[in-house]
Each structure stands twice: as structure tokens, then as C-alpha cells.
Amino acid sequence: MIGIGVKTARRLTISGLVALCMFTALALALGYANKARCTGPLFDEWGRSEPAYQERAYGDVCYSDIQNLWIGRDIDRHVFPYVHGGIEPDGTLYGGVVEYPVLTGVLIWVGALFADTDAGFLASSALLMAPFGLAVAWWLGRLSGWRALLWALSPPLVLYAFHNWDLPVVACAVAAVFVVHRWTSASLRRRATAAAVLLGLGFALKLYPALFVLPLALYVLTEGRDERRFDVRGALQVVGAAVGTAVLANVPFMLAGFGGWLASFDFQSRRQVDISTNSIWYWGFRHWTEYEGFQSAMGVVSPLLMLLSFAVACAVGWLRYERTGTYPWIQVSAAMLCGFLLLHKVHSPQYTLWLLPFFVLVAVRWGWIVAYLVADLAMGISIFRWFYLNMAGEPNGIHDGFTSQALMIGVWGRAALLVGLFVAFLAARSTVDDFGPVRSAFRLRSESPAR
């Protein structure tokens, strides 16, 4: 007989999953309470909080993109996104266009539908997104047991849950993993195709889940293999489902207002490395950012390096497949996300929410996780205090106080940890026990220990 030892995640009971969701609800409530400190008590004629909204948002570290974008994108006028708008030559969006993919644009519009102040918009948006945060907790609990407390009780969930519109896209990414590894009644190809649809929806929310389509396709290619051939058809079906879903989500907006639809992509392509991007490219080359040549170079260097990191992650995953017989698609996806976060020219604070589920799904050492959360906390608080000092015209250099020092610790500590995590994710095992199809005898023999 052939024996294979498999370490599986500890299953949670229904009461355990409910407790996990209650912890998440508490974190979401604290997150909303933190952001709500910036609202009111008075409002101007446009529904903007007073007094001194911007100074409070930065100085009290309660800033959120949700509240901030109430004015400036016609959100306060309840204009349906993309259809009637466009982008000015100077990069200004108008006519309801927002700088996000179409499904997030619709989510923003729905959140603003019954609001007449930025406070109401923040509250309704939080109510709209909170169920996605709870769903992530439930799915992570089903996938990896109590390790899901890393999501439910983490500082990033409090800091960033309602900073921007990221909970729905995180839910799409986690749901894709859940479908592949917990939909036990379906074939691998069917499960992976459904997961690809979810990743396509994620692309239509915030783009980044599209990174995970290739690792998933490679997983299907290799996991569906028999003694003679790879499952090429299954892999292509995964890619086709993801692409088709993304296209179907975008086509109605393309037909209704092509200029407005294109403007959101145009806005992102024009975005320069500046004080708002918070990436290593700004903090490492901030004295060069005023030069057009530097900005043009970043438009080439950043995406090329990202693509290189993706290729390295997929290649290392393939080497691991040849050694173990299973393509580590979750670990490769996590490493690719690290490459994106490190090398993209924009690194918004709430992107930590994208990485957080992988701390649950991949068994990297706790030291990596704690160090990253500490560095992120340092950055997430000090960046807004630094903005406040900058706005107030106060000294904000590295030798002028702890705010700038904490910011540099956060930015460069986080960057160094992303490099380390890229390697650590690729070397670690997944915490998700695989309920995929039974492997062939050939695959079992290849994985069994030598006698």
C-alpha cells in the first residue's frame, strides 16, 4: 500500500465560524468608528464635513478615500459612473467617471445614492461593504481554521476596511480559493472555472485578482494530468472564463459611454510617481520626480520589473511542482502579489488588505507576519501625520521628529519584508487541505517516499 501523510487545517464548527465573524464584526465596527471621527459635526453646502476637514483627516489619522472622494468625481451629484464623462487634457476626470474599474464604480454610486453628506456616504458605503468582510472571515475559517483570526483581529482590518472600496475585491479573491478547495462535489476543472469567474469579477473591481489566473491555470494544467498528458483544455478554460467574465462586466459600459469607460484606465496610466503614490519609487527617488524623463522611465521600468517578478514566481512554482507533484498556485499567487506591491508605482495603504488573506492561507513563519504588520502599522499611521506636517508647513525631515522616522521605518521595512515574503511564500506549504480529484497511481508513486 502507498501511504501519504497530509497535514490538514483544523476544521471549525459552526459556533467557531460564528465567533470568527463576530470578531470580524468588532474589527469592522472599530474601523468605521475610526473613520467616522472625521465626519461632521457641521457640513458645508456640498455636504463636506466641517470645520477643517482636511487638517483633521490627516492630523487625527482618520482619513479615508471614501469620504474624501465625496466631492470631485460627481459622486455627491449621484451621477451614474462612466456613461456621460471623460478625462480632461490635464488628467481631471469629469461627468461621473471614477478612477476605478466598473464594478467598483457601480458600488460607489450605490453607496452614494441616498446620501447627501460625506458622513452619510461613508456610513452607507460601510454598510454595503461590511458583509464582504464577514464573508472573507467565514471562508478563511472554512479554509484554514483558527488561523483566520489573522484576518478577524488584525490592525489592517481596523485601519483600512473602510479606507477605500477593497473588501469586495478581497472577497472575490478568497472566494476563488474557497471554491477550488472546498467545492468537493465538482470536478477540478469545473471548480477552477467557477473560481476564474470570481477572479474575473475581481478584475472588474480592482484589477489585482487577475494576477492569480495564471497560477490557477497552471494548477489545473498539472493537477488534471494523467500518465500521458497535461490538462491543456482545462487550463485554457480557466483563462477563458476569467477573460470572458472581465469582458462581460466591462462591455455594457464600453457601449454606453466608451470615452468615460476608457477615462478610468487613462487616468491610471497617466498617474505619476508623486507624494500620493507612497511607493518605493517615490521615497527612493523623490528628488527626481519633477523630471519628465524620470516619469517616462517609471512607466516602463515598473511594469517590466513586475512582469519579471511574476515570471520568477511562476517558474519557481513549476520547479516545486516537478519536485512534489503539485503546483503551489496559492503560494505563487501570494508571491506575485508581493512583486506587485513592491514594484508598482502606486502602493496605497489599504493594499495590505489584499495581502492579509495570504498570511492565513500560506504557512509562513510568524516572524514574517508580525514584522510586516508592525511595519505596516508604522507606515499607516505616520504617513498621514507626515501629510499633516507637510500641509501645516512644519519641519518634516528625517531629523525633525519621530513621524518621519516612523514613516521611513514603515516604508523601507515593508519593502524589505515584501522581498523576504516573496521567497518565504514560495517555500512554504499551504494551510488549505486540498479536496481536489484523487491523484493517479502514477502521481502517488512519484510522491511516495523511497523505501
Side-chain angles (χ1 to χ4, degrees):
M1 294 181 63
I2 298 170
I4 297 180
V6 179
K7 186 174 182 179
T8 59
R10 182 180 179 183
R11 294 291 190 88
L12 289 184
T13 62
I14 292 297
S15 59
L17 291 168
V18 170
L20 189 64
C21 289
M22 291 178 65
F23 287 133
T24 303
L26 176 61
L28 293 174
L30 291 174
Y32 173 73
N34 178 52
K35 299 302 184 183
R37 292 187 298 119
C38 277
T39 61
L42 305 174
F43 301 93
D44 65 17
E45 59 189 296
W46 297 285
R48 170 64 80 206
S49 291
E50 289 188 336
Y53 156 71
Q54 202 71 62
E55 290 82 354
R56 289 163 53 201
Y58 291 158
D60 295 343
V61 194
C62 53
Y63 171 89
S64 73
D65 288 334
I66 297 175
Q67 183 184 5
N68 191 61
L69 289 178
W70 169 249
I71 296 175
R73 298 288 187 272
D74 288 329
I75 295 171
D76 59 322
R77 301 178 183 180
H78 313 294
V79 176
F80 192 78
Y82 310 108
V83 176
H84 305 292
I87 187 169
E88 300 284 4
D90 64 356
T92 302
L93 297 172
Y94 66 90
V97 177
V98 293
E99 58 265 53
Y100 305 107
V102 293
L103 293 186
T104 292
V106 173
L107 193 71
I108 292 170
W109 176 75
V110 172
L113 205 53
F114 302 104
D116 54 13
T117 66
D118 59 5
F121 181 44
L122 177 65
S124 60
S125 297
L127 286 173
L128 195 62
M129 290 192 292
F132 293 100
L134 295 173
V136 169
W138 183 276
W139 291 326
L140 288 175
R142 289 284 308 279
L143 286 163
S144 301
W146 285 114
R147 193 179 176 92
L149 286 171
L150 279 168
W151 169 263
L153 296 178
S154 68
L157 192 60
V158 176
L159 285 176
Y160 310 128
F162 306 118
H163 185 91
N164 199 286
W165 294 269
D166 288 85
L167 289 180
V169 67
V170 174
C172 283
V174 173
V177 179
F178 182 83
V179 166
V180 171
H181 294 278
R182 289 293 181 273
W183 186 15
T184 58
S185 61
S187 67
L188 172 61
R189 188 185 291 181
R190 188 177 180 187
R191 287 180 280 133
T193 300
V197 170
L198 290 165
L199 295 177
L201 290 173
F203 174 87
L205 283 162
K206 278 291 182 81
L207 302 185
Y208 87 89
L211 300 177
F212 311 148
V213 174
L214 179 56
L216 178 58
L218 290 172
Y219 177 69
V220 173
L221 179 73
T222 55
E223 198 71 6
R225 179 186 181 185
D226 58 25
E227 295 181 15
R228 294 168 295 176
R229 61 176 181 233
F230 293 108
D231 187 7
V232 176
R233 182 178 178 182
L236 292 176
Q237 185 171 306
V238 165
V239 174
V243 172
T245 302
V247 170
L248 285 174
N250 280 273
V251 161
F253 295 90
M254 296 171 65
L255 295 177
F258 184 79
W261 171 82
L262 186 62
S264 64
F265 293 95
D266 193 11
F267 179 91
Q268 295 296 345
S269 67
R270 294 189 196 187
R271 191 166 183 184
Q272 297 190 336
V273 175
D274 58 26
I275 194 173
S276 70
T277 60
N278 200 35
S279 66
I280 60 170
W281 304 115
Y282 173 72
W283 292 110
F285 302 96
R286 56 187 295 197
H287 299 297
W288 295 13
T289 56
E290 61 186 58
Y291 299 108
E292 185 63 33
F294 171 79
Q295 297 292 347
S296 299
M298 282 298 97
V300 176
V301 171
S302 174
L304 282 180
L305 288 177
M306 283 193 297
L307 290 174
L308 178 61
S309 73
F310 300 161
V312 169
C314 289
V316 172
W318 190 267
L319 292 175
R320 184 165 170 178
Y321 154 71
E322 291 181 334
R323 188 176 70 253
T324 66
T326 298
Y327 190 84
W329 85 278
I330 298 176
Q331 296 94 313
V332 171
S333 297
M336 291 174 70
L337 182 57
C338 288
F340 178 90
L341 295 177
L342 177 67
L343 299 169
H344 193 259
K345 61 183 180 180
V346 179
H347 192 155
S348 296
Q350 78 276 4
Y351 289 0
T352 301
L353 291 176
W354 303 358
L355 188 61
L356 203 55
F358 287 110
F359 289 151
V360 177
L361 297 170
V362 184
V364 293
R365 293 182 182 275
W366 288 99
W368 287 113
I369 299 171
V370 172
Y372 192 88
L373 294 180
V374 169
D376 182 76
L377 187 64
M379 189 285 306
I381 295 175
S382 61
I383 183 65
F384 295 107
R385 289 294 304 168
W386 188 81
F387 283 155
Y388 173 76
L389 295 176
N390 197 53
M391 174 186 293
E394 297 183 19
N396 57 14
I398 193 69
H399 301 294
D400 294 319
F402 182 67
T403 294
S404 299
Q405 295 162 8
L407 178 57
M408 291 300 98
I409 291 171
V411 168
W412 294 111
R414 190 179 59 179
L417 288 163
L418 284 171
V419 174
L421 282 166
F422 182 92
V423 177
F425 278 132
L426 290 172
R429 67 171 182 85
S430 170
T431 62
V432 177
D433 50 327
D434 193 354
F435 285 91
V438 177
R439 298 172 183 169
S440 67
F442 173 81
R443 294 286 297 283
L444 292 175
R445 284 194 298 271
S446 69
E447 292 179 37
S448 61
R451 295 179 182 272

